[in-house]
Amino acid sequence: MEANVDHMSMWSLISNASFVVQLVMLILVAASVTSWILIFQRGNLLRAAKRSLDTFEERFWSGIDLSKLYRQAGSNPDPDSGVEQIFRAGFKEFSRLRQQQGVDPDAVMDAVNRAMRVAISREEEKLEQSLPFLATVGSTSPYIGLFGTVWGIMNSFRGLAQVQQATLATVAPGIAEALIATAIGLFAAIPAVIAYNRFSARGEMLIGRYYTFADEFQAILHRKVHTTED
């Protein structure tokens, strides 16, 4: 009885599985480990981006002079702050064109708008990084695990054909080791799907706030350039 339990232990089932099933398990475990690493990295990045956004918006709306804020951001830049990059891109373009004589105010605002949109696109790419991998793991891992299961059960029945008297004890180990592949596939897929959906929603929220900030900042610069002209 004890020998049978040892034979049906998890490690014994994995070690006695066929090469193809073991390869499937190895691929799924590697995908799961990589997914968890990316999940922790993405989670930290998104939390830092939101924290930096809240901090910068508080400074921006505190009434500080925009030139002073630009100098502070340039002297001590925060690489995690996407909104700071957007602000710097827009104000840099605004200051550069305002120093030139005879530049139309509308042309200044068009250039500022383009500069901030480019900065937002860069931040959007940064926030969406690694999401395709999580989506791929979440969508393909169950099928990879199912392939390992089908292959293992197929081998189990092929071996069963060579036995004169088939019993449940004869078939059970082969089926059990095959089902482990499906279990590992689900273990890899479920966290990846949850993380993908969560990170996508949080990323869209941040991008939406970036666009809102850019529109509000552009409105301030619009009033500033036209007031100066008048």
Side-chain angles (χ1 to χ4, degrees):
M1 181 69 178
E2 185 177 350
N4 187 47
V5 172
D6 292 339
H7 184 64
M8 290 293 291
S9 66
M10 187 71 67
W11 176 249
S12 177
L13 291 173
I14 294 175
S15 61
N16 291 327
S18 65
F19 173 76
V20 174
V21 177
Q22 287 181 342
L23 181 62
V24 168
M25 293 178 183
L26 181 62
I27 292 173
L28 292 173
V29 169
S32 179
V33 171
T34 306
S35 295
W36 278 107
I37 293 173
L38 294 177
I39 287 170
F40 284 115
Q41 290 179 345
R42 291 289 94 189
N44 291 334
L45 185 143
L46 287 169
R47 282 191 296 271
K50 185 179 183 303
R51 187 166 54 247
S52 300
L53 173 58
D54 294 336
T55 301
F56 187 85
E57 282 192 331
E58 184 177 351
R59 290 168 59 197
F60 181 82
W61 294 112
S62 65
I64 187 174
D65 181 69
L66 295 181
S67 299
K68 182 179 180 181
L69 181 59
Y70 177 76
R71 289 192 299 271
Q72 289 178 353
S75 61
N76 187 24
D78 183 0
D80 296 326
S81 180
V83 70
E84 183 179 299
Q85 310 304 321
I86 297 165
F87 167 78
R88 291 177 60 193
F91 195 80
K92 179 180 180 180
E93 191 69 10
F94 177 81
S95 301
R96 184 181 68 83
L97 293 177
R98 289 299 294 155
Q99 291 174 358
Q100 299 179 10
Q101 297 294 330
V103 181
D104 184 69
D106 291 334
V108 173
M109 296 312 303
D110 288 340
V112 169
N113 180 59
R114 287 193 300 271
M116 288 196 292
R117 290 300 183 266
V118 170
I120 291 175
S121 297
R122 291 199 188 100
E123 295 304 317
E124 193 169 2
E125 291 177 2
K126 189 185 300 182
L127 292 175
E128 292 177 352
Q129 191 176 7
S130 302
L131 288 184
F133 180 83
L134 292 176
T136 301
V137 171
S139 61
T140 60
S141 290
Y143 297 104
I144 297 175
L146 183 61
F147 169 77
T149 297
V150 171
W151 187 274
I153 292 177
M154 183 177 65
N155 282 341
S156 180
F157 279 109
R158 284 171 57 192
L160 192 63
Q162 301 174 2
V163 179
Q164 293 182 352
Q165 185 177 2
T167 62
L168 184 60
T170 306
V171 183
I175 295 178
E177 70 187 28
L179 290 174
I180 293 176
T182 297
I184 297 176
L186 293 175
F187 179 79
I190 293 173
V193 171
I194 294 174
Y196 174 81
N197 291 332
R198 181 173 177 81
F199 293 159
S200 295
R202 292 172 64 182
E204 289 177 3
M205 181 271 295
L206 286 172
I207 293 298
R209 290 185 61 180
Y210 289 162
Y211 274 108
T212 300
F213 172 82
D215 291 339
E216 293 172 340
F217 182 40
Q218 189 172 348
I220 293 173
L221 295 179
H222 187 273
R223 291 193 298 268
K224 189 178 182 70
V225 71
H226 284 84
T227 301
T228 306
E229 283 293 318
D230 295 341

mmCIF file with all atom_site columns, all heavy atoms in Angstrom, residues 44 58 74-75 77 83 222:
data_model
loop_
_atom_site.group_PDB
_atom_site.id
_atom_site.type_symbol
_atom_site.label_atom_id
_atom_site.label_alt_id
_atom_site.label_comp_id
_atom_site.label_asym_id
_atom_site.label_entity_id
_atom_site.label_seq_id
_atom_site.pdbx_PDB_ins_code
_atom_site.Cartn_x
_atom_site.Cartn_y
_atom_site.Cartn_z
_atom_site.occupancy
_atom_site.B_iso_or_equiv
_atom_site.pdbx_formal_charge
_atom_site.auth_seq_id
_atom_site.auth_comp_id
_atom_site.auth_asym_id
_atom_site.auth_atom_id
_atom_site.pdbx_PDB_model_num
ATOM 1  N N   . ASN A 1 44  ? 4.540  46.814 -9.595  1.00 0.00 ? 44  ASN A N   1
ATOM 2  C CA  . ASN A 1 44  ? 5.357  47.875 -9.002  1.00 0.00 ? 44  ASN A CA  1
ATOM 3  C C   . ASN A 1 44  ? 5.409  49.100 -9.906  1.00 0.00 ? 44  ASN A C   1
ATOM 4  O O   . ASN A 1 44  ? 5.351  50.245 -9.430  1.00 0.00 ? 44  ASN A O   1
ATOM 5  C CB  . ASN A 1 44  ? 6.775  47.354 -8.742  1.00 0.00 ? 44  ASN A CB  1
ATOM 6  C CG  . ASN A 1 44  ? 6.815  46.316 -7.632  1.00 0.00 ? 44  ASN A CG  1
ATOM 7  O OD1 . ASN A 1 44  ? 5.962  46.310 -6.750  1.00 0.00 ? 44  ASN A OD1 1
ATOM 8  N ND2 . ASN A 1 44  ? 7.806  45.435 -7.679  1.00 0.00 ? 44  ASN A ND2 1
ATOM 9  N N   . GLU A 1 58  ? -0.496 67.273 -7.737  1.00 0.00 ? 58  GLU A N   1
ATOM 10 C CA  . GLU A 1 58  ? -0.637 68.112 -6.539  1.00 0.00 ? 58  GLU A CA  1
ATOM 11 C C   . GLU A 1 58  ? 0.297  69.316 -6.613  1.00 0.00 ? 58  GLU A C   1
ATOM 12 O O   . GLU A 1 58  ? -0.100 70.441 -6.276  1.00 0.00 ? 58  GLU A O   1
ATOM 13 C CB  . GLU A 1 58  ? -0.342 67.273 -5.298  1.00 0.00 ? 58  GLU A CB  1
ATOM 14 C CG  . GLU A 1 58  ? -0.544 68.018 -3.981  1.00 0.00 ? 58  GLU A CG  1
ATOM 15 C CD  . GLU A 1 58  ? -0.305 67.125 -2.773  1.00 0.00 ? 58  GLU A CD  1
ATOM 16 O OE1 . GLU A 1 58  ? -0.144 65.913 -2.952  1.00 0.00 ? 58  GLU A OE1 1
ATOM 17 O OE2 . GLU A 1 58  ? -0.270 67.670 -1.646  1.00 0.00 ? 58  GLU A OE2 1
ATOM 18 N N   . GLY A 1 74  ? 13.383 69.195 -14.366 1.00 0.00 ? 74  GLY A N   1
ATOM 19 C CA  . GLY A 1 74  ? 14.575 68.924 -15.155 1.00 0.00 ? 74  GLY A CA  1
ATOM 20 C C   . GLY A 1 74  ? 15.792 68.632 -14.302 1.00 0.00 ? 74  GLY A C   1
ATOM 21 O O   . GLY A 1 74  ? 16.646 67.821 -14.676 1.00 0.00 ? 74  GLY A O   1
ATOM 22 N N   . SER A 1 75  ? 15.897 69.285 -13.144 1.00 0.00 ? 75  SER A N   1
ATOM 23 C CA  . SER A 1 75  ? 17.061 69.071 -12.278 1.00 0.00 ? 75  SER A CA  1
ATOM 24 C C   . SER A 1 75  ? 16.973 67.761 -11.502 1.00 0.00 ? 75  SER A C   1
ATOM 25 O O   . SER A 1 75  ? 17.989 67.168 -11.154 1.00 0.00 ? 75  SER A O   1
ATOM 26 C CB  . SER A 1 75  ? 17.197 70.245 -11.291 1.00 0.00 ? 75  SER A CB  1
ATOM 27 O OG  . SER A 1 75  ? 16.038 70.326 -10.459 1.00 0.00 ? 75  SER A OG  1
ATOM 28 N N   . PRO A 1 77  ? 14.683 64.726 -12.320 1.00 0.00 ? 77  PRO A N   1
ATOM 29 C CA  . PRO A 1 77  ? 13.613 64.021 -13.042 1.00 0.00 ? 77  PRO A CA  1
ATOM 30 C C   . PRO A 1 77  ? 13.234 62.706 -12.376 1.00 0.00 ? 77  PRO A C   1
ATOM 31 O O   . PRO A 1 77  ? 14.078 62.025 -11.790 1.00 0.00 ? 77  PRO A O   1
ATOM 32 C CB  . PRO A 1 77  ? 14.231 63.774 -14.428 1.00 0.00 ? 77  PRO A CB  1
ATOM 33 C CG  . PRO A 1 77  ? 15.702 63.772 -14.194 1.00 0.00 ? 77  PRO A CG  1
ATOM 34 C CD  . PRO A 1 77  ? 15.950 64.739 -13.077 1.00 0.00 ? 77  PRO A CD  1
ATOM 35 N N   . VAL A 1 83  ? 3.491  61.602 -16.241 1.00 0.00 ? 83  VAL A N   1
ATOM 36 C CA  . VAL A 1 83  ? 2.916  62.930 -16.402 1.00 0.00 ? 83  VAL A CA  1
ATOM 37 C C   . VAL A 1 83  ? 4.000  63.995 -16.384 1.00 0.00 ? 83  VAL A C   1
ATOM 38 O O   . VAL A 1 83  ? 3.886  65.040 -17.053 1.00 0.00 ? 83  VAL A O   1
ATOM 39 C CB  . VAL A 1 83  ? 1.853  63.188 -15.303 1.00 0.00 ? 83  VAL A CB  1
ATOM 40 C CG1 . VAL A 1 83  ? 2.499  63.334 -13.934 1.00 0.00 ? 83  VAL A CG1 1
ATOM 41 C CG2 . VAL A 1 83  ? 1.017  64.422 -15.633 1.00 0.00 ? 83  VAL A CG2 1
ATOM 42 N N   . HIS A 1 222 ? -2.568 77.831 -23.652 1.00 0.00 ? 222 HIS A N   1
ATOM 43 C CA  . HIS A 1 222 ? -3.333 78.575 -24.664 1.00 0.00 ? 222 HIS A CA  1
ATOM 44 C C   . HIS A 1 222 ? -3.699 79.961 -24.140 1.00 0.00 ? 222 HIS A C   1
ATOM 45 O O   . HIS A 1 222 ? -3.563 80.977 -24.842 1.00 0.00 ? 222 HIS A O   1
ATOM 46 C CB  . HIS A 1 222 ? -4.585 77.788 -25.040 1.00 0.00 ? 222 HIS A CB  1
ATOM 47 C CG  . HIS A 1 222 ? -5.357 78.385 -26.181 1.00 0.00 ? 222 HIS A CG  1
ATOM 48 N ND1 . HIS A 1 222 ? -6.319 79.359 -25.997 1.00 0.00 ? 222 HIS A ND1 1
ATOM 49 C CD2 . HIS A 1 222 ? -5.292 78.165 -27.518 1.00 0.00 ? 222 HIS A CD2 1
ATOM 50 C CE1 . HIS A 1 222 ? -6.839 79.697 -27.166 1.00 0.00 ? 222 HIS A CE1 1
ATOM 51 N NE2 . HIS A 1 222 ? -6.226 78.992 -28.111 1.00 0.00 ? 222 HIS A NE2 1
#
